[in-house]
Structure formats: C-alpha cells, structure tokens
Amino acid sequence: MSQDVKVPTLGESITEATIGEWLKQPGDRVEMDEPIASLETDKVAVEVPSPVAGTIGELLAEVGETVQVDAVIARIEDGDAPATSPAPSKSEDPKPKKADDEQVERAETPDAEFAAKDGGSDGDSPHLSPSVRRLVLEHGVDPTKIKGTGKDGRLTREDVLDAAKSGKAKKGDDAPAKSDSAPAAASDGKPARTEERQRMTRLRQTIAKRLKSAQNEAALLTTFNDVDMTAVIDTRSKYKDLFAKKHDVRLGFMGFFIKAACLAARDVPSVNARIEGDEIVYHDYVDVSVAVSAPNGLVVPVIRNAESLSFAEIEKTIGDFGARAKSGKLTMDEMQGGTFTISNGGVFGSLMSTPIVNPPQSAVLGLHRIEDRAVVIDGEIVIRPMMYMALTYDHRLIDGREAVTYLVRIKEAIEDPARMLIDL
C-alpha cells in the first residue's frame, strides 16, 4: 500500500513552491517525519517530511518544477519491503558494463565515488548538488573533509571554493582523475573558458522582483552620517564577560543600534510608518527586520516589539535567527511583517553603501565596518573608531529633515549609551 506525499500548507498567501532538492531517492528507506524534499518559496526554504515510515516508491516532480499546495509529489511504500517498482538507478543496472562505460558513470556520479572512499554506500557520504559536484571534481577536493554550512550541514559552492583555496581538503594520490566536465588546458596552452548556467532559486527571484519594485515605485533617497563607536566599544569591553555569564549570550553591536533605532523612531515616527493607498499607517511598535545572510540568499527575519525587549532578549533573538538561517529552519511567520529594516554590511567589510528599502516599509538603516580614522575633537586631531551609517528612505513619506534628524538621534544614542538607559 502506498502513501502520497503532498506539498504542505506553506503559509498565508503562498500557494506554490519550487522543488529545490530531493533528499531521498526511489528505493531509499525513510522514517516517519524524516525530510525527503526541500521546497523553495518566495520567502524561505522548507522541508517536506515523510508522512509514514517506508520506502520511497516514485518521485512525481523534478528539481526546479513548480508545484501547488496539496499537490502529490512522491509516493512511499509502507512497511519494510522495498518499493515495488522503484526508479531504476545506475547501480541496479544488471547489464555488464564496459570499462569505458564505468569511467563515464563514475564521472557522472561522484557521490558513489565518495561513498566508496568512506567504506561503502551506507548513507554517510555527503549529498552534493550538481554544481557542487562539478566544483569538487574541478578542484580535486575531498568533500568528506569539508564542513558544510548549508542546510543540514550540506556542502555549498562557497564551502568547496574556500576549501580549495586553503588546500586543506585535497585528495590523496589515489583520487580519480578529473571528469571531462572539468576545465582543461586548450591545445594552445591557454586555459579553457567554461560557463555554467544555474537556475535562480525562487527566493532569489523574489528578492530581485521586490527590490526592483521598490526602486520603480518609491522615491528613494539616501542620507549619511558617521558615528564614533568609542563609547559602545568601551561598554562592551567592560561588561561583555559579565553579560555573557548572566544571559548566556554575547553582547554585540546590533543590540545597541536596534535600541537606538527604536528610541529615534519616537522622535521621527514616519521612519517607522508605511504608505497604504492614499493613507499613511503609523505604528506604536517597532518590528525590526534584520537582514541575515543565508546559503540561498539574503533573508530578513523580524524581531517583534523590539522597543520593549532588553539587550539580552534582542541578542538572543538575533543569534537564533542567524543559526536557523544557515540551516534553513526559519519559518514563514518569522519572515513576514516588519516596520523597519537594519542591514549590517560591515560584517562583510563594507565601508559605505546605499541599501534598498524593503516594501512596504519606508526606510532601511545600513551599518558598515568600524575603522580607525582621524577626527577633530575639541580642536585636536585624534584617532577614533568610526562607522558610516546610511539611511535610505521613501521621500514620498519622509522629508530630508526627518531623515537627517533620525540619523542624528541614533548617533547621539550610540556615542552616549546612557541616553538609551534613561530614555533620552
């Protein structure tokens, strides 16, 4: 008896998804609630769990195919017996293979090669996407020696490239030669020029559409200011150990900026508002969207009621978002809403940028790297750890005076953190 696997309900207003990856193949044994597929939606990647324990019978959708909610995408045969008619695989082909055929097959299915190196195909070998397989073969690295940062610890293209650059995961002399798909030197001695086409993920397509829509519909303008980080750095240095011991979380810079942004929103409420038709909607709360880098692209989970949270609660929420973004565990509800966004490009080394507003929000604060610069204080040239801040805002709603005032309020709070304590 077979059991249908259907696309689960994906959240409000989301009716379809794209098959991002099959985590199991026909003939594989699965337990109840074990993930068998990864779906990509407009907002986040979600896993489809097996409704029963059994064996994968057939897959009814291809990777990259768009499927509707409640659509049947696979069937599972109940019980311990294997599926009655699993899809044929190369390893089950009873026909004898010639040496040339085996060499081609090995190049096309590097996962089998890696499994054999680990001592068999018991499922411990890493699961590799086609693009990652190509990079592994091109750079001659051993994927079993690389720590994956993707969902469920799977390898990403960046993991392989970093390992190839460091040279720590090189294969031994017994490694097979590169496949024909690897770039080779041309006959004239020049390196071959290859290209690879990779379909944009649904999430990346949505990011592109929303950001372009913001540029087309809103009157975006960016204003800048800089801030002396001395007081915040001194505060962190003085209390970071005690803070971590008491709250079991690291005291970071983002908590200071979120608290400062919430205080500044009281003086400039339009920054925390939105346009809806011919009306302006003001909020008496601040739901801060925090831009987080994930393997499949930028995601923006929301810290609800940030104005009422303590530093410890903010830092714990940010840490949890970051960890679950890397593993693809963020939920739909956590990605929706938000009245204001903070994007910290400084963690990647950005000196200055002009972030794009995330509609229907009206403003986004961009933070950048901290670097020592010469500044004049009390008539003397001194060295201070400085950071550039950028506020991109919708000029239809926010005037230049309000935007500058908002940045000045944040600057005042960061340069004198006591203002956040006594609500100034």
Side-chain angles (χ1 to χ4, degrees), residues 105-142:
E105 179 180 335
R106 185 168 186 169
E108 292 177 346
T109 58
D111 283 352
E113 165 199 332
F114 302 140
K117 185 166 184 176
D118 288 343
S121 56
D122 56 359
D124 293 335
S125 59
H127 183 89
L128 306 178
S129 66
S131 61
V132 173
R133 290 179 187 173
R134 179 186 294 273
L135 285 178
V136 167
L137 291 170
E138 287 179 0
H139 294 282
V141 294
D142 186 347

PDB file of all heavy atoms in Angstrom, residues 105-142:
ATOM      1  N   GLU A 105      30.371   6.653 -16.104  1.00  0.00           N
ATOM      2  CA  GLU A 105      29.421   6.639 -14.997  1.00  0.00           C
ATOM      3  C   GLU A 105      30.044   7.212 -13.741  1.00  0.00           C
ATOM      4  O   GLU A 105      29.426   7.968 -12.999  1.00  0.00           O
ATOM      5  CB  GLU A 105      28.941   5.217 -14.736  1.00  0.00           C
ATOM      6  CG  GLU A 105      27.955   5.127 -13.559  1.00  0.00           C
ATOM      7  CD  GLU A 105      27.491   3.728 -13.321  1.00  0.00           C
ATOM      8  OE1 GLU A 105      27.512   2.924 -14.267  1.00  0.00           O
ATOM      9  OE2 GLU A 105      27.125   3.423 -12.181  1.00  0.00           O
ATOM     10  N   ARG A 106      31.303   6.868 -13.496  1.00  0.00           N
ATOM     11  CA  ARG A 106      31.963   7.362 -12.293  1.00  0.00           C
ATOM     12  C   ARG A 106      32.091   8.878 -12.331  1.00  0.00           C
ATOM     13  O   ARG A 106      31.945   9.556 -11.322  1.00  0.00           O
ATOM     14  CB  ARG A 106      33.339   6.723 -12.171  1.00  0.00           C
ATOM     15  CG  ARG A 106      34.050   7.094 -10.869  1.00  0.00           C
ATOM     16  CD  ARG A 106      35.260   6.227 -10.645  1.00  0.00           C
ATOM     17  NE  ARG A 106      35.847   6.481  -9.350  1.00  0.00           N
ATOM     18  CZ  ARG A 106      36.771   5.734  -8.821  1.00  0.00           C
ATOM     19  NH1 ARG A 106      37.194   4.662  -9.466  1.00  0.00           N
ATOM     20  NH2 ARG A 106      37.268   6.027  -7.643  1.00  0.00           N
ATOM     21  N   ALA A 107      32.356   9.423 -13.504  1.00  0.00           N
ATOM     22  CA  ALA A 107      32.474  10.874 -13.625  1.00  0.00           C
ATOM     23  C   ALA A 107      31.131  11.548 -13.418  1.00  0.00           C
ATOM     24  O   ALA A 107      31.055  12.649 -12.900  1.00  0.00           O
ATOM     25  CB  ALA A 107      33.030  11.245 -15.001  1.00  0.00           C
ATOM     26  N   GLU A 108      30.033  10.866 -13.824  1.00  0.00           N
ATOM     27  CA  GLU A 108      28.716  11.471 -13.699  1.00  0.00           C
ATOM     28  C   GLU A 108      28.132  11.327 -12.309  1.00  0.00           C
ATOM     29  O   GLU A 108      27.237  12.065 -11.930  1.00  0.00           O
ATOM     30  CB  GLU A 108      27.758  10.831 -14.711  1.00  0.00           C
ATOM     31  CG  GLU A 108      28.107  11.173 -16.161  1.00  0.00           C
ATOM     32  CD  GLU A 108      27.193  10.462 -17.121  1.00  0.00           C
ATOM     33  OE1 GLU A 108      26.489   9.530 -16.668  1.00  0.00           O
ATOM     34  OE2 GLU A 108      27.172  10.822 -18.303  1.00  0.00           O
ATOM     35  N   THR A 109      28.581  10.353 -11.544  1.00  0.00           N
ATOM     36  CA  THR A 109      28.041  10.119 -10.216  1.00  0.00           C
ATOM     37  C   THR A 109      29.149  10.111  -9.190  1.00  0.00           C
ATOM     38  O   THR A 109      29.497   9.076  -8.640  1.00  0.00           O
ATOM     39  CB  THR A 109      27.287   8.782 -10.163  1.00  0.00           C
ATOM     40  OG1 THR A 109      28.208   7.739 -10.548  1.00  0.00           O
ATOM     41  CG2 THR A 109      26.103   8.783 -11.109  1.00  0.00           C
ATOM     42  N   PRO A 110      29.694  11.296  -8.879  1.00  0.00           N
ATOM     43  CA  PRO A 110      30.784  11.343  -7.919  1.00  0.00           C
ATOM     44  C   PRO A 110      30.367  10.949  -6.517  1.00  0.00           C
ATOM     45  O   PRO A 110      31.200  10.571  -5.711  1.00  0.00           O
ATOM     46  CB  PRO A 110      31.215  12.817  -7.966  1.00  0.00           C
ATOM     47  CG  PRO A 110      30.043  13.559  -8.525  1.00  0.00           C
ATOM     48  CD  PRO A 110      29.385  12.604  -9.457  1.00  0.00           C
ATOM     49  N   ASP A 111      29.072  11.024  -6.191  1.00  0.00           N
ATOM     50  CA  ASP A 111      28.655  10.627  -4.853  1.00  0.00           C
ATOM     51  C   ASP A 111      29.034   9.176  -4.557  1.00  0.00           C
ATOM     52  O   ASP A 111      29.391   8.822  -3.445  1.00  0.00           O
ATOM     53  CB  ASP A 111      27.133  10.781  -4.703  1.00  0.00           C
ATOM     54  CG  ASP A 111      26.765  12.245  -4.516  1.00  0.00           C
ATOM     55  OD1 ASP A 111      27.706  13.054  -4.353  1.00  0.00           O
ATOM     56  OD2 ASP A 111      25.570  12.550  -4.540  1.00  0.00           O
ATOM     57  N   ALA A 112      28.917   8.294  -5.560  1.00  0.00           N
ATOM     58  CA  ALA A 112      29.272   6.900  -5.357  1.00  0.00           C
ATOM     59  C   ALA A 112      30.753   6.764  -5.065  1.00  0.00           C
ATOM     60  O   ALA A 112      31.170   5.939  -4.254  1.00  0.00           O
ATOM     61  CB  ALA A 112      28.900   6.081  -6.608  1.00  0.00           C
ATOM     62  N   GLU A 113      31.534   7.575  -5.744  1.00  0.00           N
ATOM     63  CA  GLU A 113      32.987   7.552  -5.522  1.00  0.00           C
ATOM     64  C   GLU A 113      33.312   7.925  -4.080  1.00  0.00           C
ATOM     65  O   GLU A 113      34.122   7.290  -3.412  1.00  0.00           O
ATOM     66  CB  GLU A 113      33.633   8.547  -6.482  1.00  0.00           C
ATOM     67  CG  GLU A 113      35.065   8.905  -6.135  1.00  0.00           C
ATOM     68  CD  GLU A 113      35.455  10.188  -6.814  1.00  0.00           C
ATOM     69  OE1 GLU A 113      34.903  10.494  -7.884  1.00  0.00           O
ATOM     70  OE2 GLU A 113      36.331  10.869  -6.274  1.00  0.00           O
ATOM     71  N   PHE A 114      32.631   8.967  -3.576  1.00  0.00           N
ATOM     72  CA  PHE A 114      32.905   9.408  -2.225  1.00  0.00           C
ATOM     73  C   PHE A 114      32.428   8.377  -1.197  1.00  0.00           C
ATOM     74  O   PHE A 114      33.042   8.163  -0.166  1.00  0.00           O
ATOM     75  CB  PHE A 114      32.214  10.748  -1.975  1.00  0.00           C
ATOM     76  CG  PHE A 114      32.646  11.819  -2.934  1.00  0.00           C
ATOM     77  CD1 PHE A 114      31.722  12.712  -3.447  1.00  0.00           C
ATOM     78  CD2 PHE A 114      33.971  11.899  -3.334  1.00  0.00           C
ATOM     79  CE1 PHE A 114      32.125  13.693  -4.340  1.00  0.00           C
ATOM     80  CE2 PHE A 114      34.372  12.877  -4.231  1.00  0.00           C
ATOM     81  CZ  PHE A 114      33.453  13.765  -4.732  1.00  0.00           C
ATOM     82  N   ALA A 115      31.291   7.731  -1.507  1.00  0.00           N
ATOM     83  CA  ALA A 115      30.792   6.722  -0.590  1.00  0.00           C
ATOM     84  C   ALA A 115      31.771   5.569  -0.484  1.00  0.00           C
ATOM     85  O   ALA A 115      32.026   5.035   0.594  1.00  0.00           O
ATOM     86  CB  ALA A 115      29.416   6.225  -1.065  1.00  0.00           C
ATOM     87  N   ALA A 116      32.329   5.156  -1.623  1.00  0.00           N
ATOM     88  CA  ALA A 116      33.292   4.064  -1.605  1.00  0.00           C
ATOM     89  C   ALA A 116      34.529   4.437  -0.798  1.00  0.00           C
ATOM     90  O   ALA A 116      35.093   3.615  -0.089  1.00  0.00           O
ATOM     91  CB  ALA A 116      33.696   3.713  -3.041  1.00  0.00           C
ATOM     92  N   LYS A 117      34.918   5.672  -0.887  1.00  0.00           N
ATOM     93  CA  LYS A 117      36.105   6.097  -0.135  1.00  0.00           C
ATOM     94  C   LYS A 117      35.849   6.039   1.358  1.00  0.00           C
ATOM     95  O   LYS A 117      36.741   5.835   2.163  1.00  0.00           O
ATOM     96  CB  LYS A 117      36.489   7.519  -0.552  1.00  0.00           C
ATOM     97  CG  LYS A 117      37.780   7.988   0.097  1.00  0.00           C
ATOM     98  CD  LYS A 117      38.297   9.224  -0.576  1.00  0.00           C
ATOM     99  CE  LYS A 117      39.638   9.632   0.008  1.00  0.00           C
ATOM    100  NZ  LYS A 117      40.227  10.767  -0.671  1.00  0.00           N
ATOM    101  N   ASP A 118      34.585   6.292   1.754  1.00  0.00           N
ATOM    102  CA  ASP A 118      34.253   6.239   3.175  1.00  0.00           C
ATOM    103  C   ASP A 118      34.006   4.822   3.665  1.00  0.00           C
ATOM    104  O   ASP A 118      33.761   4.604   4.837  1.00  0.00           O
ATOM    105  CB  ASP A 118      32.979   7.069   3.441  1.00  0.00           C
ATOM    106  CG  ASP A 118      33.283   8.537   3.330  1.00  0.00           C
ATOM    107  OD1 ASP A 118      34.470   8.879   3.388  1.00  0.00           O
ATOM    108  OD2 ASP A 118      32.346   9.328   3.174  1.00  0.00           O
ATOM    109  N   GLY A 119      34.017   3.866   2.787  1.00  0.00           N
ATOM    110  CA  GLY A 119      33.849   2.478   3.203  1.00  0.00           C
ATOM    111  C   GLY A 119      32.533   1.875   2.811  1.00  0.00           C
ATOM    112  O   GLY A 119      32.126   0.860   3.362  1.00  0.00           O
ATOM    113  N   GLY A 120      31.825   2.473   1.890  1.00  0.00           N
ATOM    114  CA  GLY A 120      30.570   1.890   1.432  1.00  0.00           C
ATOM    115  C   GLY A 120      29.530   2.945   1.215  1.00  0.00           C
ATOM    116  O   GLY A 120      29.703   4.103   1.541  1.00  0.00           O
ATOM    117  N   SER A 121      28.400   2.560   0.650  1.00  0.00           N
ATOM    118  CA  SER A 121      27.303   3.492   0.377  1.00  0.00           C
ATOM    119  C   SER A 121      26.239   3.349   1.436  1.00  0.00           C
ATOM    120  O   SER A 121      25.108   3.025   1.168  1.00  0.00           O
ATOM    121  CB  SER A 121      26.721   3.205  -1.011  1.00  0.00           C
ATOM    122  OG  SER A 121      26.321   1.848  -1.090  1.00  0.00           O
ATOM    123  N   ASP A 122      26.627   3.616   2.694  1.00  0.00           N
ATOM    124  CA  ASP A 122      25.697   3.441   3.808  1.00  0.00           C
ATOM    125  C   ASP A 122      24.964   4.721   4.142  1.00  0.00           C
ATOM    126  O   ASP A 122      24.323   4.834   5.164  1.00  0.00           O
ATOM    127  CB  ASP A 122      26.447   2.952   5.051  1.00  0.00           C
ATOM    128  CG  ASP A 122      27.590   3.893   5.425  1.00  0.00           C
ATOM    129  OD1 ASP A 122      27.785   4.901   4.702  1.00  0.00           O
ATOM    130  OD2 ASP A 122      28.268   3.626   6.434  1.00  0.00           O
ATOM    131  N   GLY A 123      25.041   5.727   3.288  1.00  0.00           N
ATOM    132  CA  GLY A 123      24.329   6.969   3.541  1.00  0.00           C
ATOM    133  C   GLY A 123      25.157   8.001   4.254  1.00  0.00           C
ATOM    134  O   GLY A 123      24.696   9.091   4.516  1.00  0.00           O
ATOM    135  N   ASP A 124      26.406   7.666   4.639  1.00  0.00           N
ATOM    136  CA  ASP A 124      27.226   8.632   5.347  1.00  0.00           C
ATOM    137  C   ASP A 124      27.917   9.606   4.414  1.00  0.00           C
ATOM    138  O   ASP A 124      28.475  10.597   4.841  1.00  0.00           O
ATOM    139  CB  ASP A 124      28.302   7.908   6.182  1.00  0.00           C
ATOM    140  CG  ASP A 124      27.671   7.125   7.320  1.00  0.00           C
ATOM    141  OD1 ASP A 124      26.559   7.519   7.721  1.00  0.00           O
ATOM    142  OD2 ASP A 124      28.290   6.155   7.778  1.00  0.00           O
ATOM    143  N   SER A 125      27.978   9.283   3.119  1.00  0.00           N
ATOM    144  CA  SER A 125      28.649  10.169   2.181  1.00  0.00           C
ATOM    145  C   SER A 125      27.837  11.441   2.012  1.00  0.00           C
ATOM    146  O   SER A 125      26.620  11.423   2.115  1.00  0.00           O
ATOM    147  CB  SER A 125      28.817   9.482   0.830  1.00  0.00           C
ATOM    148  OG  SER A 125      27.563   9.105   0.312  1.00  0.00           O
ATOM    149  N   PRO A 126      28.485  12.587   1.747  1.00  0.00           N
ATOM    150  CA  PRO A 126      27.762  13.842   1.636  1.00  0.00           C
ATOM    151  C   PRO A 126      26.880  13.893   0.409  1.00  0.00           C
ATOM    152  O   PRO A 126      27.218  13.337  -0.623  1.00  0.00           O
ATOM    153  CB  PRO A 126      28.889  14.889   1.553  1.00  0.00           C
ATOM    154  CG  PRO A 126      30.048  14.124   0.991  1.00  0.00           C
ATOM    155  CD  PRO A 126      29.922  12.737   1.528  1.00  0.00           C
ATOM    156  N   HIS A 127      25.729  14.567   0.557  1.00  0.00           N
ATOM    157  CA  HIS A 127      24.833  14.734  -0.582  1.00  0.00           C
ATOM    158  C   HIS A 127      25.246  16.001  -1.308  1.00  0.00           C
ATOM    159  O   HIS A 127      25.292  17.069  -0.720  1.00  0.00           O
ATOM    160  CB  HIS A 127      23.388  14.838  -0.105  1.00  0.00           C
ATOM    161  CG  HIS A 127      22.416  14.946  -1.230  1.00  0.00           C
ATOM    162  ND1 HIS A 127      21.846  13.846  -1.828  1.00  0.00           N
ATOM    163  CD2 HIS A 127      21.942  16.021  -1.885  1.00  0.00           C
ATOM    164  CE1 HIS A 127      21.042  14.246  -2.803  1.00  0.00           C
ATOM    165  NE2 HIS A 127      21.078  15.564  -2.845  1.00  0.00           N
ATOM    166  N   LEU A 128      25.532  15.904  -2.596  1.00  0.00           N
ATOM    167  CA  LEU A 128      26.062  17.027  -3.348  1.00  0.00           C
ATOM    168  C   LEU A 128      25.112  17.421  -4.472  1.00  0.00           C
ATOM    169  O   LEU A 128      24.604  16.567  -5.193  1.00  0.00           O
ATOM    170  CB  LEU A 128      27.434  16.674  -3.955  1.00  0.00           C
ATOM    171  CG  LEU A 128      28.497  16.166  -2.993  1.00  0.00           C
ATOM    172  CD1 LEU A 128      29.764  15.809  -3.761  1.00  0.00           C
ATOM    173  CD2 LEU A 128      28.791  17.195  -1.924  1.00  0.00           C
ATOM    174  N   SER A 129      24.886  18.715  -4.605  1.00  0.00           N
ATOM    175  CA  SER A 129      24.108  19.206  -5.737  1.00  0.00           C
ATOM    176  C   SER A 129      24.982  19.155  -6.983  1.00  0.00           C
ATOM    177  O   SER A 129      26.210  19.078  -6.879  1.00  0.00           O
ATOM    178  CB  SER A 129      23.651  20.642  -5.471  1.00  0.00           C
ATOM    179  OG  SER A 129      24.768  21.502  -5.430  1.00  0.00           O
ATOM    180  N   PRO A 130      24.387  19.201  -8.169  1.00  0.00           N
ATOM    181  CA  PRO A 130      25.188  19.121  -9.404  1.00  0.00           C
ATOM    182  C   PRO A 130      26.287  20.177  -9.486  1.00  0.00           C
ATOM    183  O   PRO A 130      27.404  19.877  -9.891  1.00  0.00           O
ATOM    184  CB  PRO A 130      24.132  19.308 -10.501  1.00  0.00           C
ATOM    185  CG  PRO A 130      22.870  18.800  -9.896  1.00  0.00           C
ATOM    186  CD  PRO A 130      22.947  19.170  -8.453  1.00  0.00           C
ATOM    187  N   SER A 131      25.991  21.421  -9.103  1.00  0.00           N
ATOM    188  CA  SER A 131      27.011  22.469  -9.195  1.00  0.00           C
ATOM    189  C   SER A 131      28.142  22.234  -8.203  1.00  0.00           C
ATOM    190  O   SER A 131      29.304  22.513  -8.496  1.00  0.00           O
ATOM    191  CB  SER A 131      26.382  23.836  -8.964  1.00  0.00           C
ATOM    192  OG  SER A 131      25.804  23.914  -7.677  1.00  0.00           O
ATOM    193  N   VAL A 132      27.801  21.703  -7.016  1.00  0.00           N
ATOM    194  CA  VAL A 132      28.842  21.412  -6.024  1.00  0.00           C
ATOM    195  C   VAL A 132      29.689  20.227  -6.475  1.00  0.00           C
ATOM    196  O   VAL A 132      30.908  20.219  -6.298  1.00  0.00           O
ATOM    197  CB  VAL A 132      28.204  21.133  -4.645  1.00  0.00           C
ATOM    198  CG1 VAL A 132      29.258  20.650  -3.643  1.00  0.00           C
ATOM    199  CG2 VAL A 132      27.530  22.391  -4.108  1.00  0.00           C
ATOM    200  N   ARG A 133      29.059  19.236  -7.093  1.00  0.00           N
ATOM    201  CA  ARG A 133      29.810  18.091  -7.618  1.00  0.00           C
ATOM    202  C   ARG A 133      30.860  18.557  -8.619  1.00  0.00           C
ATOM    203  O   ARG A 133      32.006  18.116  -8.597  1.00  0.00           O
ATOM    204  CB  ARG A 133      28.863  17.115  -8.326  1.00  0.00           C
ATOM    205  CG  ARG A 133      27.932  16.352  -7.412  1.00  0.00           C
ATOM    206  CD  ARG A 133      27.046  15.462  -8.244  1.00  0.00           C
ATOM    207  NE  ARG A 133      26.008  14.822  -7.458  1.00  0.00           N
ATOM    208  CZ  ARG A 133      25.023  14.103  -7.978  1.00  0.00           C
ATOM    209  NH1 ARG A 133      24.948  13.957  -9.283  1.00  0.00           N
ATOM    210  NH2 ARG A 133      24.122  13.542  -7.205  1.00  0.00           N
ATOM    211  N   ARG A 134      30.434  19.458  -9.499  1.00  0.00           N
ATOM    212  CA  ARG A 134      31.355  19.944 -10.523  1.00  0.00           C
ATOM    213  C   ARG A 134      32.566  20.627  -9.879  1.00  0.00           C
ATOM    214  O   ARG A 134      33.709  20.390 -10.267  1.00  0.00           O
ATOM    215  CB  ARG A 134      30.630  20.920 -11.448  1.00  0.00           C
ATOM    216  CG  ARG A 134      31.526  21.508 -12.533  1.00  0.00           C
ATOM    217  CD  ARG A 134      30.768  22.569 -13.308  1.00  0.00           C
ATOM    218  NE  ARG A 134      29.665  21.998 -14.063  1.00  0.00           N
ATOM    219  CZ  ARG A 134      29.787  21.505 -15.280  1.00  0.00           C
ATOM    220  NH1 ARG A 134      30.973  21.502 -15.879  1.00  0.00           N
ATOM    221  NH2 ARG A 134      28.762  21.006 -15.907  1.00  0.00           N
ATOM    222  N   LEU A 135      32.310  21.460  -8.870  1.00  0.00           N
ATOM    223  CA  LEU A 135      33.414  22.161  -8.205  1.00  0.00           C
ATOM    224  C   LEU A 135      34.340  21.187  -7.481  1.00  0.00           C
ATOM    225  O   LEU A 135      35.559  21.359  -7.473  1.00  0.00           O
ATOM    226  CB  LEU A 135      32.857  23.187  -7.217  1.00  0.00           C
ATOM    227  CG  LEU A 135      32.263  24.464  -7.823  1.00  0.00           C
ATOM    228  CD1 LEU A 135      31.704  25.348  -6.733  1.00  0.00           C
ATOM    229  CD2 LEU A 135      33.316  25.208  -8.617  1.00  0.00           C
ATOM    230  N   VAL A 136      33.750  20.165  -6.862  1.00  0.00           N
ATOM    231  CA  VAL A 136      34.564  19.167  -6.155  1.00  0.00           C
ATOM    232  C   VAL A 136      35.519  18.483  -7.118  1.00  0.00           C
ATOM    233  O   VAL A 136      36.708  18.289  -6.823  1.00  0.00           O
ATOM    234  CB  VAL A 136      33.652  18.129  -5.461  1.00  0.00           C
ATOM    235  CG1 VAL A 136      34.460  16.918  -5.011  1.00  0.00           C
ATOM    236  CG2 VAL A 136      32.969  18.762  -4.258  1.00  0.00           C
ATOM    237  N   LEU A 137      35.002  18.107  -8.285  1.00  0.00           N
ATOM    238  CA  LEU A 137      35.838  17.441  -9.271  1.00  0.00           C
ATOM    239  C   LEU A 137      36.864  18.391  -9.879  1.00  0.00           C
ATOM    240  O   LEU A 137      38.010  18.014 -10.115  1.00  0.00           O
ATOM    241  CB  LEU A 137      34.957  16.847 -10.372  1.00  0.00           C
ATOM    242  CG  LEU A 137      34.086  15.657  -9.935  1.00  0.00           C
ATOM    243  CD1 LEU A 137      33.089  15.314 -11.029  1.00  0.00           C
ATOM    244  CD2 LEU A 137      34.931  14.461  -9.604  1.00  0.00           C
ATOM    245  N   GLU A 138      36.452  19.619 -10.136  1.00  0.00           N
ATOM    246  CA  GLU A 138      37.363  20.577 -10.745  1.00  0.00           C
ATOM    247  C   GLU A 138      38.559  20.883  -9.848  1.00  0.00           C
ATOM    248  O   GLU A 138      39.690  20.992 -10.317  1.00  0.00           O
ATOM    249  CB  GLU A 138      36.619  21.879 -11.059  1.00  0.00           C
ATOM    250  CG  GLU A 138      35.660  21.780 -12.228  1.00  0.00           C
ATOM    251  CD  GLU A 138      34.933  23.082 -12.467  1.00  0.00           C
ATOM    252  OE1 GLU A 138      35.182  24.046 -11.711  1.00  0.00           O
ATOM    253  OE2 GLU A 138      34.120  23.146 -13.398  1.00  0.00           O
ATOM    254  N   HIS A 139      38.295  21.025  -8.550  1.00  0.00           N
ATOM    255  CA  HIS A 139      39.353  21.433  -7.626  1.00  0.00           C
ATOM    256  C   HIS A 139      40.034  20.257  -6.931  1.00  0.00           C
ATOM    257  O   HIS A 139      40.983  20.456  -6.166  1.00  0.00           O
ATOM    258  CB  HIS A 139      38.783  22.394  -6.587  1.00  0.00           C
ATOM    259  CG  HIS A 139      38.339  23.706  -7.167  1.00  0.00           C
ATOM    260  ND1 HIS A 139      39.213  24.713  -7.497  1.00  0.00           N
ATOM    261  CD2 HIS A 139      37.105  24.157  -7.511  1.00  0.00           C
ATOM    262  CE1 HIS A 139      38.544  25.746  -7.993  1.00  0.00           C
ATOM    263  NE2 HIS A 139      37.259  25.429  -8.014  1.00  0.00           N
ATOM    264  N   GLY A 140      39.555  19.041  -7.172  1.00  0.00           N
ATOM    265  CA  GLY A 140      40.202  17.867  -6.605  1.00  0.00           C
ATOM    266  C   GLY A 140      40.191  17.827  -5.092  1.00  0.00           C
ATOM    267  O   GLY A 140      41.184  17.444  -4.467  1.00  0.00           O
ATOM    268  N   VAL A 141      39.068  18.217  -4.471  1.00  0.00           N
ATOM    269  CA  VAL A 141      38.968  18.198  -3.013  1.00  0.00           C
ATOM    270  C   VAL A 141      38.126  17.014  -2.564  1.00  0.00           C
ATOM    271  O   VAL A 141      37.322  16.466  -3.323  1.00  0.00           O
ATOM    272  CB  VAL A 141      38.350  19.510  -2.491  1.00  0.00           C
ATOM    273  CG1 VAL A 141      39.269  20.692  -2.771  1.00  0.00           C
ATOM    274  CG2 VAL A 141      36.973  19.747  -3.095  1.00  0.00           C
ATOM    275  N   ASP A 142      38.323  16.625  -1.327  1.00  0.00           N
ATOM    276  CA  ASP A 142      37.572  15.518  -0.730  1.00  0.00           C
ATOM    277  C   ASP A 142      36.425  16.111   0.081  1.00  0.00           C
ATOM    278  O   ASP A 142      36.660  16.750   1.109  1.00  0.00           O
ATOM    279  CB  ASP A 142      38.499  14.700   0.170  1.00  0.00           C
ATOM    280  CG  ASP A 142      37.797  13.455   0.710  1.00  0.00           C
ATOM    281  OD1 ASP A 142      36.562  13.370   0.583  1.00  0.00           O
ATOM    282  OD2 ASP A 142      38.494  12.582   1.261  1.00  0.00           O
TER     283      ASP A 142
END
